[in-house]
Amino acid sequence: MKKSQLIMTQIKHVAGTVMLVASLALLQACGSDNKNESRTEDALEKTGDAIEADTKDATAEAKEDLNEAGDKADAKGDEMAADFRRERDEAVAKMNVQKDKLDAKIDELKTKADRQSDKAKAETERQKAKLEVERRELGEDIDKAKNATADAWKDIKSGFKQAGREIGDAFDKAGDKLDRNN
């Protein structure tokens, strides 16, 4: 149940209690001891005091409930921030591994290009250039990830997934070309 609904229910209960107390007080005040005016005034005074006390109690409870809800919201926000930082750090670590693999593949292409014929060397150099572009873009993505805010993280994360698929495809194509040229 939402806090506002809980508070409204509590206020309704307090109001019902107050009305019941007022009714009982007025009923008793209407007794037949020839002091009707005095009893009515006493009953109204007591009812007013009861309403005031109940209102103070309800207000205090509502404030306490609101403070509790605020504390829970703060705790949830802290938890979400910690989750975001953990997820971002994991993504950066994975991208760094991917960057290291790209560096190794580029180095491998450089070494193989030195041993190939001119035609095969040209194709290897083309593949190496594509991987170097992917490597540079990945470096930029890593910088973006390291500096990402929680609000921007979802958009950045989806872009990283797409980039990861493209880098994997580039690895596969480069490997296929090398296998055919050897």
Side-chain angles (χ1 to χ4, degrees):
M1 180 184 282
K2 291 183 179 177
K3 292 290 182 187
S4 61
Q5 290 174 332
L6 181 63
I7 291 170
M8 289 304 297
T9 302
Q10 289 174 343
I11 290 173
K12 286 179 184 178
H13 287 147
V14 168
T17 303
V18 168
M19 290 178 69
L20 180 62
V21 168
S23 297
L24 290 173
L26 288 174
L27 183 63
Q28 186 176 0
C30 292
S32 61
D33 65 355
N34 295 329
K35 292 185 177 182
N36 289 341
E37 187 174 314
S38 175
R39 284 183 160 186
T40 303
E41 289 174 1
D42 288 346
L44 286 175
E45 187 177 315
K46 289 178 183 175
T47 301
D49 292 344
I51 291 172
E52 187 177 331
D54 287 344
T55 302
K56 285 180 182 177
D57 290 346
T59 302
E61 286 178 24
K63 285 180 182 177
E64 187 177 317
D65 289 345
L66 287 174
N67 287 337
E68 251 180 65
D71 292 345
K72 286 181 183 179
D74 289 344
K76 187 64 174 173
D78 292 345
E79 181 182 326
M80 289 174 63
D83 287 346
F84 151 70
R85 284 189 297 275
R86 179 191 45 77
E87 186 177 80
R88 182 187 62 191
D89 292 346
E90 287 174 3
V92 168
K94 287 178 183 178
M95 287 188 291
N96 280 322
V97 167
Q98 206 170 20
K99 180 184 64 124
D100 293 343
K101 287 180 183 179
L102 265 175
D103 289 340
K105 192 68 165 179
I106 290 169
D107 289 343
E108 180 183 334
L109 287 174
K110 285 178 185 176
T111 303
K112 287 186 179 190
D114 292 340
R115 300 182 309 216
Q116 293 177 323
S117 67
D118 287 340
K119 183 179 178 185
K121 188 175 191 174
E123 178 61 29
T124 300
E125 289 294 328
R126 192 177 66 74
Q127 290 298 320
K128 183 180 72 128
K130 286 175 76 174
L131 289 178
E132 286 172 341
V133 168
E134 294 288 337
R135 164 55 171 92
R136 188 186 76 249
E137 290 173 355
L138 181 60
E140 292 169 0
D141 288 345
I142 289 170
D143 289 340
K144 286 179 188 176
K146 286 179 180 177
N147 299 312
T149 63
D151 293 336
W153 179 245
K154 286 185 181 184
D155 293 335
I156 291 171
K157 186 169 61 170
S158 66
F160 290 154
K161 287 180 183 176
Q162 178 62 33
R165 286 190 287 274
E166 290 172 4
I167 290 171
D169 292 345
F171 272 142
D172 293 342
K173 288 178 185 176
D176 291 345
K177 297 274 183 178
L178 285 174
D179 291 343
R180 280 188 253 139
N181 292 331
N182 285 335

